[in-house]
Coordinates of all heavy atoms in Angstrom, one line a residue:
M9 N 19.0 -9.7 -25.3 CA 19.0 -8.7 -24.2 C 18.3 -9.4 -23.0 O 17.2 -9.9 -23.1 CB 18.2 -7.5 -24.7 CG 18.3 -6.3 -23.7 SD 17.5 -4.8 -24.4 CE 16.9 -5.1 -26.0
S10 N 18.9 -9.3 -21.8 CA 18.3 -9.9 -20.6 C 18.9 -9.3 -19.4 O 20.1 -8.8 -19.4 CB 18.6 -11.4 -20.6 OG 18.2 -12.0 -19.4
A11 N 18.2 -9.3 -18.3 CA 18.7 -8.8 -17.0 C 18.3 -9.7 -15.9 O 17.8 -9.3 -14.8 CB 18.1 -7.4 -16.7
G12 N 18.5 -11.0 -16.1 CA 18.3 -12.0 -15.0 C 16.8 -12.5 -15.0 O 16.5 -13.5 -15.4
F13 N 15.9 -11.7 -14.5 CA 14.5 -12.1 -14.3 C 13.7 -11.9 -15.5 O 12.5 -12.3 -15.6 CB 13.9 -11.5 -13.1 CG 13.6 -10.0 -13.2 CD1 12.4 -9.5 -13.6 CD2 14.6 -9.1 -12.8 CE1 12.2 -8.2 -13.7 CE2 14.4 -7.7 -12.9 CZ 13.2 -7.3 -13.4
W14 N 14.2 -11.2 -16.6 CA 13.4 -11.0 -17.8 C 14.3 -11.2 -19.0 O 15.6 -11.2 -18.9 CB 12.8 -9.6 -17.9 CG 13.8 -8.5 -17.8 CD1 14.3 -7.9 -16.7 CD2 14.5 -7.9 -19.0 NE1 15.2 -6.9 -17.1 CE2 15.4 -6.9 -18.5 CE3 14.4 -8.1 -20.3 CZ2 16.2 -6.2 -19.3 CZ3 15.2 -7.4 -21.2 CH2 16.1 -6.4 -20.7
R15 N 13.7 -11.5 -20.1 CA 14.4 -11.6 -21.4 C 13.6 -11.1 -22.5 O 12.4 -11.2 -22.5 CB 14.8 -13.1 -21.7 CG 13.7 -14.0 -21.9 CD 14.3 -15.4 -22.1 NE 13.2 -16.4 -22.1 CZ 12.4 -16.6 -23.2 NH1 12.5 -15.9 -24.3 NH2 11.4 -17.5 -23.1
A16 N 14.2 -10.5 -23.5 CA 13.6 -9.9 -24.6 C 13.1 -11.0 -25.6 O 13.7 -12.1 -25.7 CB 14.5 -9.0 -25.4
T17 N 11.9 -10.8 -26.2 CA 11.3 -11.6 -27.2 C 11.1 -10.8 -28.4 O 11.3 -9.6 -28.4 CB 10.0 -12.3 -26.7 OG1 9.0 -11.3 -26.5 CG2 10.3 -13.1 -25.4
A18 N 10.6 -11.4 -29.5 CA 10.3 -10.7 -30.7 C 9.1 -9.7 -30.5 O 9.1 -8.7 -31.2 CB 9.9 -11.7 -31.8
T19 N 8.2 -10.0 -29.6 CA 7.0 -9.1 -29.4 C 7.0 -8.4 -28.1 O 6.0 -7.7 -27.8 CB 5.8 -9.9 -29.6 OG1 5.8 -11.0 -28.6 CG2 5.6 -10.5 -31.0
G20 N 8.1 -8.4 -27.3 CA 8.1 -7.8 -26.0 C 9.1 -8.4 -25.1 O 10.3 -8.6 -25.5
V21 N 8.7 -8.7 -23.9 CA 9.6 -9.4 -22.9 C 8.9 -10.5 -22.2 O 7.7 -10.5 -22.0 CB 10.2 -8.4 -21.9 CG1 11.1 -7.4 -22.6 CG2 9.2 -7.7 -21.1
S22 N 9.7 -11.4 -21.7 CA 9.2 -12.5 -20.8 C 9.7 -12.3 -19.5 O 11.0 -12.1 -19.3 CB 9.6 -13.8 -21.4 OG 9.2 -14.9 -20.6
V23 N 8.9 -12.3 -18.4 CA 9.3 -12.0 -17.1 C 9.0 -13.1 -16.1 O 7.9 -13.6 -16.1 CB 8.6 -10.7 -16.6 CG1 9.1 -10.3 -15.2 CG2 8.8 -9.5 -17.5
A24 N 10.1 -13.6 -15.4 CA 9.9 -14.6 -14.4 C 9.5 -13.9 -13.1 O 10.2 -13.0 -12.7 CB 11.2 -15.4 -14.2
V25 N 8.4 -14.4 -12.5 CA 7.9 -13.8 -11.3 C 7.6 -14.8 -10.3 O 7.4 -16.0 -10.6 CB 6.6 -12.9 -11.6 CG1 6.9 -11.8 -12.6 CG2 5.4 -13.8 -12.0
K26 N 7.5 -14.4 -9.0 CA 7.0 -15.2 -7.9 C 5.9 -14.4 -7.3 O 6.1 -13.3 -6.8 CB 8.1 -15.6 -6.9 CG 7.5 -16.5 -5.8 CD 8.5 -17.1 -4.9 CE 7.8 -18.0 -3.9 NZ 8.7 -18.7 -3.1
V27 N 4.7 -15.0 -7.3 CA 3.5 -14.3 -6.8 C 3.2 -14.7 -5.4 O 3.2 -15.9 -5.1 CB 2.3 -14.6 -7.7 CG1 1.0 -13.9 -7.2 CG2 2.6 -14.1 -9.1
T28 N 3.0 -13.8 -4.5 CA 2.5 -14.1 -3.1 C 1.1 -13.6 -3.0 O 0.8 -12.4 -2.9 CB 3.4 -13.3 -2.1 OG1 4.8 -13.7 -2.3 CG2 3.0 -13.6 -0.7
P29 N 0.1 -14.6 -3.0 CA -1.3 -14.2 -2.8 C -1.6 -13.8 -1.4 O -0.9 -14.2 -0.5 CB -2.0 -15.4 -3.3 CG -1.1 -16.5 -3.1 CD 0.3 -16.0 -3.2
R30 N -2.7 -13.2 -1.2 CA -3.2 -12.8 0.1 C -2.2 -12.0 1.0 O -2.2 -12.1 2.2 CB -3.7 -14.0 0.9 CG -4.9 -14.7 0.3 CD -5.4 -15.8 1.2 NE -6.7 -16.3 0.7 CZ -6.9 -17.6 0.5 NH1 -6.0 -18.5 0.8 NH2 -8.1 -18.0 0.0
A31 N -1.5 -11.2 0.3 CA -0.5 -10.3 1.0 C -1.2 -9.1 1.6 O -2.3 -8.7 1.2 CB 0.6 -9.8 0.0
R32 N -0.7 -8.7 2.7 CA -1.3 -7.5 3.4 C -1.0 -6.2 2.6 O -1.9 -5.3 2.5 CB -0.7 -7.3 4.8 CG -1.2 -8.4 5.7 CD -0.6 -8.1 7.1 NE -1.0 -9.3 8.0 CZ -1.2 -9.2 9.2 NH1 -1.0 -8.1 9.9 NH2 -1.5 -10.3 9.9
R33 N 0.2 -6.1 2.0 CA 0.5 -4.9 1.2 C 0.9 -5.4 -0.2 O 2.0 -6.0 -0.4 CB 1.7 -4.2 1.9 CG 1.3 -3.5 3.2 CD 2.5 -2.8 3.8 NE 3.5 -3.8 4.1 CZ 4.6 -3.6 4.6 NH1 5.0 -2.4 4.9 NH2 5.5 -4.6 4.9
P34 N 0.1 -5.1 -1.2 CA 0.4 -5.5 -2.5 C 1.5 -4.6 -3.2 O 1.8 -3.5 -2.7 CB -0.9 -5.3 -3.3 CG -1.6 -4.2 -2.5 CD -1.2 -4.3 -1.1
G35 N 2.1 -5.1 -4.2 CA 3.1 -4.4 -5.0 C 4.3 -5.2 -5.3 O 4.4 -6.4 -5.0
L36 N 5.3 -4.6 -6.0 CA 6.5 -5.2 -6.4 C 7.4 -5.3 -5.1 O 7.5 -4.3 -4.4 CB 7.2 -4.5 -7.5 CG 6.4 -4.3 -8.8 CD1 7.2 -3.6 -9.8 CD2 5.9 -5.7 -9.3
R37 N 8.1 -6.4 -4.9 CA 8.9 -6.6 -3.8 C 10.4 -6.8 -4.1 O 11.2 -7.3 -3.3 CB 8.4 -7.8 -3.0 CG 7.0 -7.7 -2.5 CD 7.0 -6.7 -1.3 NE 5.7 -6.5 -0.8 CZ 5.1 -5.3 -0.9 NH1 5.7 -4.3 -1.3 NH2 3.9 -5.2 -0.4
G38 N 10.8 -6.5 -5.3 CA 12.2 -6.6 -5.7 C 12.5 -8.0 -6.4 O 11.6 -8.8 -6.6
V39 N 13.7 -8.2 -6.6 CA 14.2 -9.4 -7.2 C 14.6 -10.4 -6.2 O 15.4 -10.1 -5.3 CB 15.3 -9.2 -8.2 CG1 15.8 -10.4 -8.9 CG2 14.9 -8.2 -9.3
I40 N 14.2 -11.7 -6.3 CA 14.6 -12.7 -5.3 C 15.2 -13.9 -6.1 O 15.0 -14.0 -7.3 CB 13.3 -13.3 -4.6 CG1 12.3 -13.8 -5.5 CG2 12.7 -12.2 -3.7 CD1 11.2 -14.6 -4.8
L41 N 16.0 -14.7 -5.4 CA 16.6 -15.9 -6.1 C 15.7 -17.1 -5.8 O 15.2 -17.3 -4.7 CB 18.0 -16.1 -5.6 CG 19.0 -15.0 -5.9 CD1 20.3 -15.3 -5.3 CD2 19.1 -14.9 -7.4
S42 N 15.5 -17.9 -6.9 CA 14.7 -19.1 -6.7 C 15.6 -20.2 -7.3 O 16.7 -20.0 -7.7 CB 13.4 -19.1 -7.4 OG 13.6 -19.1 -8.8
G43 N 15.1 -21.5 -7.2 CA 15.9 -22.6 -7.7 C 16.3 -22.5 -9.1 O 17.3 -23.1 -9.5
D44 N 15.5 -21.8 -10.0 CA 15.9 -21.7 -11.4 C 16.3 -20.3 -11.8 O 16.2 -20.0 -13.0 CB 14.7 -22.2 -12.2 CG 13.4 -21.4 -12.1 OD1 13.4 -20.6 -11.1 OD2 12.5 -21.5 -12.9
G45 N 16.7 -19.5 -10.9 CA 17.3 -18.2 -11.2 C 16.5 -17.1 -10.5 O 15.5 -17.3 -9.8
P46 N 16.8 -15.8 -10.9 CA 16.1 -14.7 -10.3 C 14.7 -14.5 -10.8 O 14.4 -14.9 -11.9 CB 17.0 -13.5 -10.7 CG 17.8 -14.0 -11.9 CD 17.9 -15.4 -11.8
R47 N 13.9 -14.0 -9.9 CA 12.5 -13.7 -10.2 C 12.1 -12.4 -9.6 O 12.5 -12.0 -8.5 CB 11.6 -14.8 -9.7 CG 11.7 -16.1 -10.4 CD 10.8 -17.2 -9.9 NE 10.9 -18.4 -10.7 CZ 10.2 -18.6 -11.9 NH1 9.4 -17.7 -12.3 NH2 10.4 -19.7 -12.5
L48 N 11.1 -11.7 -10.2 CA 10.6 -10.5 -9.7 C 9.4 -10.9 -8.7 O 8.5 -11.7 -9.1 CB 10.0 -9.6 -10.8 CG 9.3 -8.3 -10.4 CD1 10.3 -7.4 -9.7 CD2 8.7 -7.7 -11.6
A49 N 9.5 -10.5 -7.5 CA 8.5 -10.9 -6.5 C 7.4 -9.9 -6.6 O 7.6 -8.6 -6.6 CB 9.1 -10.8 -5.1
I50 N 6.1 -10.4 -6.7 CA 4.9 -9.6 -6.7 C 4.0 -10.1 -5.7 O 3.6 -11.2 -5.6 CB 4.3 -9.7 -8.1 CG1 5.2 -9.3 -9.2 CG2 3.0 -8.8 -8.1 CD1 4.7 -9.4 -10.6
A51 N 3.6 -9.2 -4.8 CA 2.6 -9.5 -3.7 C 1.3 -8.9 -4.1 O 1.2 -7.8 -4.6 CB 3.0 -8.9 -2.4
V52 N 0.2 -9.7 -4.0 CA -1.2 -9.3 -4.3 C -2.1 -9.7 -3.2 O -1.8 -10.6 -2.4 CB -1.6 -9.9 -5.6 CG1 -0.8 -9.5 -6.8 CG2 -1.7 -11.5 -5.5
T53 N -3.2 -8.9 -3.0 CA -4.1 -9.2 -2.0 C -5.1 -10.3 -2.4 O -5.8 -10.9 -1.5 CB -4.9 -7.9 -1.6 OG1 -5.6 -7.4 -2.7 CG2 -4.0 -6.9 -1.0
A54 N -5.2 -10.6 -3.6 CA -6.2 -11.6 -4.1 C -5.8 -13.0 -3.7 O -4.6 -13.3 -3.5 CB -6.2 -11.5 -5.7
P55 N -6.8 -13.8 -3.5 CA -6.5 -15.2 -3.2 C -6.1 -16.0 -4.4 O -6.3 -15.6 -5.5 CB -7.9 -15.7 -2.7 CG -8.9 -14.9 -3.4 CD -8.2 -13.6 -3.5
P56 N -5.5 -17.2 -4.2 CA -5.0 -17.9 -5.4 C -6.2 -18.7 -6.1 O -5.9 -19.4 -7.1 CB -4.0 -18.9 -4.8 CG -4.5 -19.1 -3.4 CD -5.1 -17.8 -3.0
D57 N -7.4 -18.5 -5.7 CA -8.5 -19.2 -6.2 C -8.9 -18.8 -7.6 O -8.9 -17.6 -7.9 CB -9.8 -19.0 -5.3 CG -9.5 -19.4 -3.9 OD1 -8.7 -20.4 -3.7 OD2 -10.1 -18.8 -3.0
S58 N -9.1 -19.7 -8.5 CA -9.6 -19.4 -9.9 C -8.8 -18.4 -10.7 O -9.3 -17.7 -11.5 CB -11.0 -19.0 -9.8 OG -11.9 -19.9 -9.2
G59 N -7.5 -18.4 -10.4 CA -6.6 -17.5 -11.1 C -6.6 -16.0 -10.7 O -6.1 -15.1 -11.4
A60 N -7.3 -15.7 -9.6 CA -7.4 -14.3 -9.2 C -6.1 -13.7 -8.9 O -5.8 -12.5 -9.2 CB -8.4 -14.2 -8.0
A61 N -5.2 -14.4 -8.2 CA -3.9 -13.9 -7.9 C -3.0 -13.7 -9.2 O -2.3 -12.7 -9.2 CB -3.2 -14.8 -6.9
T62 N -3.2 -14.5 -10.1 CA -2.4 -14.4 -11.4 C -2.9 -13.1 -12.1 O -2.1 -12.3 -12.6 CB -2.6 -15.6 -12.3 OG1 -2.1 -16.7 -11.6 CG2 -1.9 -15.4 -13.6
R63 N -4.2 -12.9 -12.2 CA -4.7 -11.7 -12.8 C -4.3 -10.5 -12.1 O -3.9 -9.5 -12.7 CB -6.3 -11.8 -12.9 CG -6.8 -12.8 -13.9 CD -8.3 -12.7 -14.1 NE -9.1 -13.0 -12.9 CZ -9.4 -14.1 -12.5 NH1 -9.0 -15.2 -13.1 NH2 -10.1 -14.3 -11.4
A64 N -4.3 -10.5 -10.8 CA -3.8 -9.4 -10.0 C -2.3 -9.1 -10.2 O -1.9 -7.9 -10.3 CB -4.1 -9.6 -8.5
A65 N -1.5 -10.1 -10.3 CA -0.1 -10.0 -10.6 C 0.1 -9.4 -12.0 O 1.0 -8.5 -12.1 CB 0.6 -11.3 -10.5
C66 N -0.7 -9.8 -13.0 CA -0.5 -9.2 -14.3 C -0.9 -7.7 -14.3 O -0.2 -6.9 -14.8 CB -1.5 -9.9 -15.3 SG -0.9 -11.6 -15.7
R67 N -1.9 -7.3 -13.6 CA -2.3 -5.9 -13.4 C -1.2 -5.1 -12.7 O -0.9 -4.0 -13.1 CB -3.7 -5.8 -12.7 CG -4.9 -6.1 -13.5 CD -6.2 -5.7 -12.8 NE -6.3 -6.3 -11.5 CZ -6.8 -7.4 -11.2 NH1 -7.3 -8.2 -12.2 NH2 -6.9 -7.9 -10.0
T68 N -0.7 -5.7 -11.6 CA 0.4 -5.0 -10.9 C 1.6 -4.7 -11.7 O 2.1 -3.6 -11.7 CB 0.7 -5.9 -9.6 OG1 -0.4 -6.0 -8.8 CG2 1.8 -5.2 -8.8
L69 N 2.0 -5.7 -12.5 CA 3.2 -5.5 -13.4 C 2.9 -4.5 -14.4 O 3.7 -3.7 -14.7 CB 3.6 -6.9 -13.9 CG 4.9 -6.8 -14.8 CD1 6.1 -6.2 -14.0 CD2 5.2 -8.2 -15.4
A70 N 1.7 -4.6 -15.0 CA 1.3 -3.6 -16.1 C 1.3 -2.2 -15.5 O 1.8 -1.3 -16.2 CB -0.1 -4.0 -16.6
E71 N 0.8 -2.0 -14.3 CA 0.8 -0.7 -13.7 C 2.2 -0.2 -13.4 O 2.5 1.0 -13.7 CB 0.0 -0.7 -12.4 CG -1.5 -0.8 -12.6 CD -2.3 -1.0 -11.3 OE1 -1.7 -0.9 -10.2 OE2 -3.5 -1.3 -11.4
A72 N 3.1 -1.1 -13.0 CA 4.4 -0.7 -12.7 C 5.2 -0.3 -13.9 O 6.1 0.6 -13.9 CB 5.2 -1.8 -12.0
L73 N 4.8 -0.9 -15.1 CA 5.5 -0.6 -16.3 C 4.7 0.5 -17.1 O 5.1 0.8 -18.3 CB 5.6 -1.9 -17.2 CG 6.5 -3.0 -16.6 CD1 6.4 -4.2 -17.4 CD2 7.9 -2.5 -16.4
D74 N 3.6 1.1 -16.5 CA 2.8 2.1 -17.2 C 2.2 1.6 -18.5 O 2.3 2.3 -19.5 CB 3.6 3.4 -17.4 CG 2.8 4.6 -17.6 OD1 1.6 4.6 -17.2 OD2 3.2 5.5 -18.3
L75 N 1.6 0.4 -18.4 CA 1.0 -0.2 -19.6 C -0.5 -0.5 -19.3 O -0.9 -0.6 -18.1 CB 1.7 -1.5 -20.0 CG 3.2 -1.4 -20.3 CD1 3.8 -2.8 -20.4 CD2 3.4 -0.7 -21.6
S76 N -1.2 -0.8 -20.3 CA -2.6 -1.3 -20.1 C -2.6 -2.7 -19.5 O -1.6 -3.4 -19.8 CB -3.4 -1.2 -21.4 OG -2.9 -2.3 -22.3
G77 N -3.6 -3.1 -18.8 CA -3.7 -4.4 -18.2 C -3.6 -5.5 -19.2 O -3.1 -6.6 -18.9
S78 N -4.1 -5.3 -20.4 CA -4.1 -6.4 -21.4 C -2.7 -6.6 -22.0 O -2.5 -7.6 -22.7 CB -5.0 -6.0 -22.6 OG -4.6 -4.8 -23.2
A79 N -1.7 -5.8 -21.7 CA -0.4 -6.0 -22.2 C 0.4 -7.1 -21.5 O 1.4 -7.6 -22.1 CB 0.4 -4.7 -22.1
V80 N -0.1 -7.5 -20.4 CA 0.6 -8.5 -19.6 C -0.3 -9.7 -19.5 O -1.4 -9.6 -19.1 CB 1.0 -8.0 -18.2 CG1 1.7 -9.1 -17.4 CG2 1.8 -6.8 -18.2
T81 N 0.3 -10.9 -19.9 CA -0.5 -12.1 -19.9 C 0.3 -13.3 -19.3 O 1.6 -13.2 -19.3 CB -1.0 -12.5 -21.3 OG1 0.2 -12.7 -22.1 CG2 -1.9 -11.5 -21.9
L82 N -0.3 -14.3 -18.9 CA 0.3 -15.5 -18.3 C 0.8 -16.3 -19.4 O 0.1 -16.7 -20.3 CB -0.7 -16.3 -17.4 CG -0.1 -17.6 -16.8 CD1 0.9 -17.3 -15.8 CD2 -1.3 -18.4 -16.2
A83 N 2.1 -16.7 -19.4 CA 2.7 -17.6 -20.4 C 2.9 -19.0 -19.8 O 2.7 -20.0 -20.5 CB 4.0 -17.1 -20.8
A84 N 3.2 -19.1 -18.5 CA 3.4 -20.4 -17.9 C 3.2 -20.3 -16.4 O 3.5 -19.3 -15.8 CB 4.8 -21.0 -18.2
G85 N 2.8 -21.4 -15.7 CA 2.7 -21.4 -14.3 C 1.4 -21.1 -13.7 O 1.3 -20.6 -12.6
A86 N 0.3 -21.5 -14.4 CA -1.0 -21.2 -13.9 C -1.3 -21.7 -12.5 O -2.0 -21.1 -11.7 CB -2.1 -21.7 -14.9
G87 N -0.8 -22.9 -12.2 CA -1.1 -23.5 -10.9 C 0.0 -23.4 -9.8 O -0.1 -24.0 -8.8
T88 N 1.0 -22.6 -10.1 CA 2.1 -22.4 -9.1 C 2.3 -20.9 -8.8 O 1.8 -20.0 -9.5 CB 3.4 -23.0 -9.6 OG1 3.8 -22.2 -10.7 CG2 3.2 -24.4 -10.1
R89 N 3.1 -20.7 -7.8 CA 3.4 -19.3 -7.5 C 4.5 -18.7 -8.4 O 4.6 -17.5 -8.6 CB 3.9 -19.1 -6.0 CG 2.7 -19.4 -5.0 CD 3.2 -19.3 -3.6 NE 2.1 -19.6 -2.7 CZ 1.9 -19.1 -1.6 NH1 2.8 -18.2 -1.1 NH2 0.9 -19.5 -0.8
E90 N 5.3 -19.6 -8.9 CA 6.4 -19.2 -9.8 C 5.8 -19.2 -11.2 O 5.4 -20.3 -11.7 CB 7.6 -20.1 -9.7 CG 8.3 -19.9 -8.3 CD 9.6 -20.6 -8.2 OE1 9.9 -21.4 -9.0 OE2 10.3 -20.2 -7.2
K91 N 5.8 -18.1 -11.9 CA 5.1 -17.9 -13.2 C 6.0 -17.2 -14.2 O 7.0 -16.6 -13.8 CB 3.8 -17.1 -13.0 CG 2.9 -17.7 -12.0 CD 1.7 -16.8 -11.8 CE 0.8 -17.3 -10.7 NZ 0.3 -18.7 -10.9
R92 N 5.7 -17.3 -15.4 CA 6.3 -16.5 -16.5 C 5.2 -15.7 -17.1 O 4.2 -16.3 -17.6 CB 7.0 -17.4 -17.5 CG 7.7 -16.6 -18.5 CD 8.9 -17.4 -19.2 NE 10.0 -17.7 -18.3 CZ 11.0 -17.0 -17.9 NH1 11.0 -15.7 -18.3 NH2 11.9 -17.4 -17.1
L93 N 5.4 -14.4 -17.1 CA 4.5 -13.5 -17.7 C 5.0 -12.9 -19.0 O 6.2 -12.7 -19.0 CB 4.1 -12.3 -16.7 CG 3.6 -12.7 -15.3 CD1 3.3 -11.5 -14.5 CD2 2.3 -13.6 -15.5
T94 N 4.2 -12.7 -20.0 CA 4.6 -12.1 -21.2 C 4.1 -10.6 -21.2 O 2.9 -10.4 -21.0 CB 4.0 -12.9 -22.4 OG1 4.5 -14.2 -22.3 CG2 4.5 -12.3 -23.7
V95 N 5.0 -9.7 -21.6 CA 4.6 -8.3 -21.7 C 4.8 -7.9 -23.1 O 5.9 -8.0 -23.7 CB 5.5 -7.4 -20.8 CG1 5.1 -6.0 -20.8 CG2 5.5 -8.0 -19.3
A96 N 3.7 -7.5 -23.7 CA 3.7 -7.0 -25.1 C 4.1 -5.6 -25.2 O 3.8 -4.7 -24.4 CB 2.3 -7.2 -25.7
G97 N 5.0 -5.3 -26.2 CA 5.4 -4.0 -26.5 C 6.8 -4.0 -27.1 O 7.4 -5.0 -27.4
D98 N 7.4 -2.8 -27.2 CA 8.7 -2.6 -27.8 C 9.7 -3.2 -26.7 O 9.8 -2.7 -25.6 CB 9.0 -1.1 -28.0 CG 10.4 -0.9 -28.5 OD1 10.8 -1.6 -29.5 OD2 11.1 -0.1 -27.9
P99 N 10.5 -4.2 -27.1 CA 11.4 -4.8 -26.2 C 12.4 -3.8 -25.6 O 12.7 -3.9 -24.4 CB 12.2 -5.8 -27.0 CG 11.2 -6.2 -28.1 CD 10.5 -4.9 -28.4
A100 N 12.9 -2.8 -26.3 CA 13.9 -1.9 -25.8 C 13.3 -1.0 -24.8 O 13.9 -0.7 -23.7 CB 14.5 -1.0 -27.0
T101 N 12.1 -0.5 -25.0 CA 11.4 0.4 -24.1 C 11.0 -0.4 -22.8 O 11.3 0.1 -21.7 CB 10.1 0.9 -24.7 OG1 10.4 1.6 -25.9 CG2 9.3 1.8 -23.7
L102 N 10.6 -1.6 -23.0 CA 10.2 -2.4 -21.8 C 11.5 -2.8 -21.0 O 11.4 -2.8 -19.8 CB 9.5 -3.7 -22.2 CG 8.1 -3.5 -22.9 CD1 7.6 -4.8 -23.4 CD2 7.2 -2.9 -21.8
A103 N 12.6 -3.0 -21.7 CA 13.8 -3.4 -21.0 C 14.3 -2.2 -20.1 O 14.7 -2.4 -19.0 CB 14.9 -3.7 -22.0
A104 N 14.1 -1.0 -20.6 CA 14.5 0.2 -19.8 C 13.6 0.3 -18.6 O 14.1 0.6 -17.5 CB 14.4 1.5 -20.7
R105 N 12.3 0.1 -18.8 CA 11.4 0.2 -17.6 C 11.6 -0.9 -16.6 O 11.6 -0.7 -15.4 CB 9.9 0.1 -18.1 CG 9.5 1.3 -18.9 CD 8.1 1.2 -19.4 NE 7.8 2.4 -20.3 CZ 6.7 2.5 -20.9 NH1 5.7 1.6 -20.8 NH2 6.5 3.6 -21.7
L106 N 11.9 -2.1 -17.1 CA 12.2 -3.2 -16.1 C 13.5 -3.0 -15.4 O 13.6 -3.3 -14.2 CB 12.2 -4.6 -16.9 CG 10.9 -5.1 -17.3 CD1 11.0 -6.2 -18.3 CD2 10.1 -5.6 -16.1
T107 N 14.5 -2.5 -16.0 CA 15.8 -2.2 -15.4 C 15.6 -1.1 -14.3 O 16.3 -1.2 -13.3 CB 16.8 -1.7 -16.4 OG1 16.9 -2.8 -17.4 CG2 18.2 -1.5 -15.8
A108 N 14.7 -0.2 -14.5 CA 14.4 0.9 -13.5 C 13.6 0.4 -12.3 O 13.6 1.2 -11.3 CB 13.7 2.0 -14.2
L109 N 13.1 -0.7 -12.3 CA 12.2 -1.2 -11.2 C 13.1 -1.4 -9.9 O 14.2 -1.8 -9.9 CB 11.5 -2.5 -11.5 CG 10.4 -2.4 -12.6 CD1 9.8 -3.8 -12.8 CD2 9.3 -1.4 -12.2

């Protein structure tokens, strides 16, 4: 099961994102195309220093999916704006929520 920027895993979903740190208005910005396919754009007010923007992006995605902050973790891309986040939970439920974004 997949919808471009996310794919189902055994324990939840994996989501490809592009994080924009130091944004004036935080939140989800829709799906954008990048060199390796579609990504969910997430704007955060946090700076990219010491992983603050990554943590803010995880919280933003968790809130959008109505999950606890600990359900979303970084899987890849700690030093870049293009990241892969892992969302723990029932893949079918998460797929429905991601599709509705």
Side-chain angles (χ1 to χ4, degrees):
M9 187 174 0
S10 175
F13 68 93
W14 63 269
R15 63 180 172 81
T17 66
T19 59
V21 294
S22 177
V23 182
V25 301
K26 181 167 184 180
V27 178
T28 302
R30 292 188 175 127
R32 290 182 186 208
R33 291 178 298 179
L36 301 181
R37 299 287 177 241
V39 179
I40 61 168
L41 294 177
S42 72
D44 62 345
R47 291 184 174 273
L48 179 63
I50 302 176
V52 297
T53 57
D57 305 327
S58 303
T62 299
R63 289 189 299 276
C66 290
R67 282 191 306 272
T68 300
L69 183 57
E71 289 172 9
L73 297 175
D74 196 27
L75 300 170
S76 70
S78 63
V80 181
T81 57
L82 177 68
T88 68
R89 291 180 184 212
E90 293 189 347
K91 304 175 184 304
R92 184 155 297 276
L93 304 180
T94 301
V95 184
D98 176 53
T101 301
L102 294 171
R105 291 178 184 177
L106 285 164
T107 302
L109 292 179

